[in-house]
Amino acid sequence: MREFVIAADRHIVGFGPVKALIGQADKSVWPREALIGLKLIAPDSPECESVRSESSLTDAAQGHDRIRFFLKERLLRNFRDVARAFLDEAGPCAIEVTSAELLDEGSRAFFEALAGMPRAKVTVTMTLGASGAGAMVNTSSAAERRIDDTVRGAAPSEGDLDFLYEQAIRYLSVGDSWTAVRILQALLPHRGTPAVWGRLGLGYAMLGRSLEAEFCYVRWREDADPVSSAGASYALSMLYARHHPAHLRSLDRTARFLEEGYAVLEKADEETEDLEFHMVFNRNGYALVEFRRGRVNEAVAHLTNGIEKLRNGSAKNRMHQTVLIYNLAQCYRRVGDNVAAIETYQQLLEVDGKMPEYHMELAHCYMDAGRTDDALASLLTARELGPSILEVHSLLGYVYLQSGDMGNAELSYRAAHECDERDFDALYDYAYVLAESERPREALTVVEGRSLEGLDAEQQARLLTLAAEQHAGLGDLPAARTALERVLVLTPDDHDARANLDRVLKECA
């Protein structure tokens, strides 16, 4: 078993310990998805450039051209892709992180993902305080050293402040919102402009800190530049549509912010750069409002109009065009026009065929149409492009199960469970397919390995019911009885559980 000892550090740019670890690997043999994930951790790695042409428009977007930013769930997927590639090469290993009190948030999240990799013989331990000599340390790049020196300096120059701002945008672009937020927080006392507030708000939103994001976006709205101010209104609208906790969301406030932003753009000088793009961007947001209000035809009108206006070759326009086409396909699904939805997803894949989620959504449409073979082909492509997407494996399991292919159903449901062992549906599906394959002991191992703590009553009842069925099949009627009695405590009106308990009690008598 290989052993790695890595020293954490206190640098502004994160992932230093992770870069020290994966610096031991031969990344030239890593698969595509791992190199795409590597861009988040070590964007200066030359290997990242090798997959630019193999990336989706979303993954390939850079700096100011990026209009989609990664939330934490997507980053964890990247971590799993990188961790899998590292472990495939390194084999069984023990990793010790010393000076763990200095560990940055991004590195901590990566090591947690690494330690949780399924069936991998890897241990990760955290040690407070420095270890003896020999611990690996990351060698900072010149740009990283300049960031540290500038942040810690007393009187940074205007050129240094410009450098920090551009670096923050760069780290936001690759998905490292932890580093971006640290840079922007240091920049703010020297340059508290609306644009800096806006980027800081974006960083907070990416980390799920939506209330702090709103405070920053309100400051961003004060920008005299109409495009910037309208961008702030759009960002505020998406907080109330998607990112705030459920009890704070409001479709009315979403609509109000979008209308206020559009009014600002309508008053802008016609020579304003990218004015039409930003107006289309705003109306795409309003299409979401119409969609959720059940006014799907109005949403379709906004989207089709926007798609037509963006038919040119700029990277940003092509990227936003895919967003509009995707939303249009969702509208067709809502109204039950599966033929139009399929055609629209196929159009989307002609623009960006490297995005695994698009293939997965097309597979949903094929399943709705009863086109199982086409659904399977789309899901296999999605799995190849995004092997750490839990839902892709779950859907594959469902398709295989429906076609009676129990072997591949089991493999797919197991892969989904291994993507996130905390996900209830993935765990239940895996246990269920084991039960259907007449392997009750293995099904019980999966079910009983999951604590009921934190699950709602319905979820607890489902697991206990499945456990009761396996106990009964193995002839352990007392255990089946206990499980069913617990089900009835949770769901007293469950008539099936009551009937099953009566049957078990009769057999026990």
Side-chain angles (χ1 to χ4, degrees):
M1 176 177 285
R2 298 182 65 181
E3 296 183 357
F4 300 91
V5 181
I6 311 159
D9 53 42
R10 196 187 294 277
H11 293 303
I12 300 301
V13 177
F15 295 111
V18 181
K19 284 182 273 195
L21 177 66
I22 62 179
Q24 310 301 306
D26 178 9
K27 293 181 281 295
S28 67
V29 299
W30 281 16
R32 164 193 173 276
E33 67 274 3
L35 294 177
I36 290 173
L38 178 66
K39 185 170 65 172
L40 160 66
I41 296 167
D44 294 325
S45 295
E47 294 86 358
C48 295
E49 279 299 314
S50 67
V51 292
R52 182 181 295 275
S53 63
E54 294 298 313
S55 301
S56 68
L57 293 178
T58 294
D59 287 317
Q62 299 290 307
H64 295 277
D65 284 336
R66 181 169 288 283
I67 61 172
R68 271 183 175 157
F69 292 87
F70 300 137
L71 300 179
K72 194 171 181 180
E73 292 75 14
R74 173 63 182 267
L75 305 186
L76 295 178
R77 190 177 103 196
N78 289 141
F79 291 159
R80 289 194 291 268
D81 288 335
V82 172
R84 184 182 296 107
F86 174 79
L87 292 172
D88 284 347
E89 182 185 350
C93 56
I95 300 166
E96 179 185 1
V97 181
T98 65
S99 302
E101 69 276 11
L102 304 180
L103 202 60
D104 64 277
E105 304 96 314
S107 293
R108 186 175 298 279
F110 175 84
F111 285 120
E112 288 175 355
L114 180 65
M117 291 298 291
R119 294 178 289 119
K121 295 180 180 178
V122 56
T123 60
V124 180
T125 58
M126 303 286 176
T127 305
L128 299 180
S131 67
M136 295 185 295
V137 294
N138 179 53
T139 303
S140 299
S141 69
E144 290 170 345
R145 291 194 295 273
R146 184 180 174 188
I147 291 171
D148 274 342
D149 292 343
T150 303
V151 166
R152 291 164 183 161
S157 68
E158 286 300 307
D160 284 336
L161 296 179
D162 290 341
F163 169 75
L164 287 183
Y165 182 63
E166 289 302 319
Q167 288 297 306
I169 291 174
R170 177 172 178 251
Y171 284 106
L172 286 173
S173 173
V174 299
D176 184 2
S177 46
W178 295 284
T179 292
V181 164
R182 284 192 290 273
I183 294 173
L184 291 162
Q185 286 173 334
L187 178 61
L188 202 56
H190 306 283
R191 182 177 287 180
T193 61
V196 172
W197 279 108
R199 296 295 178 175
L200 181 57
L202 176 57
Y204 284 140
M206 291 167 68
L207 293 174
R209 297 162 62 177
S210 66
L211 294 177
E212 291 156 290
E214 180 168 6
F215 176 83
C216 295
Y217 289 161
V218 170
R219 300 293 298 270
W220 182 19
R221 273 223 303 181
E222 298 170 1
D223 202 324
D225 174 50
V227 166
S228 184
S229 178
S233 292
Y234 185 93
L236 283 164
S237 76
M238 290 300 106
L239 286 181
Y240 281 94
R242 301 179 186 275
H243 304 307
H244 267 327
H247 68 279
L248 292 179
R249 293 179 197 168
S250 166
L251 200 57
D252 289 340
R253 296 198 75 176
T254 297
R256 192 189 81 198
F257 281 124
L258 288 167
E259 293 289 41
E260 289 173 357
Y262 196 74
V264 169
L265 292 172
E266 286 184 312
K267 295 176 183 176
D269 190 310
E270 291 184 1
E271 300 302 314
T272 300
E273 184 178 1
D274 285 339
L275 178 60
E276 184 175 66
F277 169 85
H278 292 289
M279 296 182 82
V280 169
F281 196 91
N282 178 284
R283 292 298 86 182
N284 173 52
Y286 205 82
L288 173 64
V289 174
E290 299 283 38
F291 180 81
R292 290 192 179 174
R293 286 175 171 168
R295 294 161 52 90
V296 180
N297 290 336
E298 288 78 359
V300 167
H302 284 305
L303 294 168
T304 52
N305 182 53
I307 292 167
E308 187 59 36
K309 289 181 177 179
L310 294 181
R311 291 190 186 281
N312 69 54
S314 78
K316 187 160 62 174
N317 280 13
R318 288 183 68 235
M319 166 65 136
H320 192 50
Q321 189 180 352
T322 64
V323 176
L324 295 171
I325 296 171
Y326 173 82
N327 291 342
L328 180 60
Q330 293 291 87
C331 287
Y332 288 136
R333 284 197 70 194
R334 165 67 71 86
V335 298
D337 191 344
N338 208 39
V339 173
I342 290 172
E343 291 176 353
T344 306
Y345 276 122
Q346 290 171 337
Q347 177 189 353
L348 175 60
L349 290 171
E350 289 175 4
V351 181
D352 184 6
K354 301 293 186 180
M355 189 77 165
E357 289 87 350
Y358 296 159
H359 292 275
M360 182 179 71
E361 294 294 344
L362 176 58
H364 274 294
C365 294
Y366 284 140
M367 290 161 65
D368 291 342
R371 296 167 59 177
T372 304
D373 290 343
D374 290 328
L376 180 59
S378 291
L379 288 169
L380 291 173
T381 301
R383 186 180 67 181
E384 180 181 355
L385 294 171
S388 291
I389 302 177
L390 185 153
E391 189 180 354
V392 169
H393 295 290
S394 289
L395 288 172
L396 271 169
Y398 176 80
V399 171
Y400 283 129
L401 193 62
Q402 295 301 303
S403 61
D405 187 344
M406 298 299 290
N408 276 316
E410 179 194 333
L411 291 174
S412 298
Y413 280 133
R414 183 176 71 187
H417 175 50
E418 290 175 346
C419 283
D420 184 356
E421 294 185 347
R422 298 164 299 179
D423 187 272
F424 172 81
D425 288 328
L427 178 143
Y428 182 86
D429 288 340
Y430 181 39
Y432 176 82
V433 77
L434 289 171
E436 288 294 295
S437 300
E438 299 183 356
R439 291 155 66 188
R441 294 192 187 280
E442 293 178 60
L444 273 174
T445 298
V446 174
V447 170
E448 295 179 344
R450 174 66 154 91
S451 169
L452 298 182
E453 185 178 353
L455 300 179
D456 62 34
E458 180 184 354
Q459 291 172 331
Q460 292 183 50
R462 288 177 66 192
L463 282 186
L464 288 166
T465 299
L466 187 56
E469 291 170 354
Q470 307 321 299
H471 284 305
L474 291 167
D476 189 350
L477 297 180
R481 171 183 174 177
T482 299
L484 288 168
E485 287 173 342
R486 294 175 67 187
V487 171
L488 287 168
V489 170
L490 293 164
T491 55
D493 297 327
D494 188 333
H495 299 296
D496 289 336
R498 174 65 63 187
N500 288 334
L501 178 58
D502 289 343
R503 190 176 303 113
V504 167
L505 290 172
K506 184 177 180 181
E507 292 182 21
C508 286

